[in-house]
Amino acid sequence: MGDEKRRVSEIKKKIAGFDLICPGTLMVRKKPCGRPNCRCASGRPEDLHGPYHEWNRYIDGRLAHKIVSQKQAEELKRAMDNQREVKALLHEWERESAEIILGTKARKG
């Protein structure tokens, strides 16, 4: 197996090693509840409710928001980090594939 195809095999193996991947972003927010007699109505940031972990992502072209638990937020962060790494590996696979098909890697060496 040539070096180029060996690199593609390594990339495929790395991608297959990921368990969970998710798109989106995580935000940590504190919010007022809207009740006029609640402590959060004071206007002071330390009196707001929370922290709440909010997962934002696009579903069918629309922005979706979901409040998640601390544990879910930790898993989502790991899955989002995995997704970024998988995307980087896919871009590398694309470059390697084009070089193999066009033979440009052989000409460089």
Side-chain angles (χ1 to χ4, degrees):
M1 183 183 300
D3 286 340
E4 300 89 6
K5 293 205 177 183
R6 186 172 296 121
R7 180 63 190 136
V8 169
S9 291
E10 290 170 7
I11 292 168
K12 288 166 46 175
K13 201 176 292 186
K14 283 182 183 178
I15 290 173
F18 289 97
D19 55 350
L20 301 174
I21 61 171
C22 285
T25 58
L26 277 172
M27 295 180 68
V28 179
R29 301 178 126 178
K30 293 184 90 177
K31 301 178 183 182
C33 66
R35 291 181 298 175
N37 295 332
C38 184
R39 68 174 158 69
C40 68
S42 71
R44 295 187 312 237
E46 62 270 13
D47 290 339
L48 294 174
H49 299 287
Y52 298 104
H53 302 274
E54 185 175 290
W55 176 33
N56 303 309
R57 75 260 183 229
Y58 282 93
I59 298 175
D60 297 327
R62 296 182 65 125
L63 188 59
H65 308 277
K66 174 81 174 150
I67 302 296
V68 297
S69 70
Q70 172 73 38
K71 184 178 178 196
Q72 290 171 322
E74 290 166 7
E75 283 292 305
L76 281 165
K77 182 181 179 333
R78 189 173 67 81
M80 285 185 253
D81 290 344
N82 288 348
Q83 171 137 343
R84 278 188 286 281
E85 197 166 337
V86 166
K87 281 185 173 185
L89 287 166
L90 283 173
H91 287 299
E92 191 175 340
W93 189 354
E94 289 170 355
R95 281 191 309 274
E96 290 289 332
S97 296
E99 289 177 357
I100 291 168
I101 292 165
L102 299 175
T104 54
K105 197 144 198 147
R107 282 190 224 133
K108 288 180 185 174

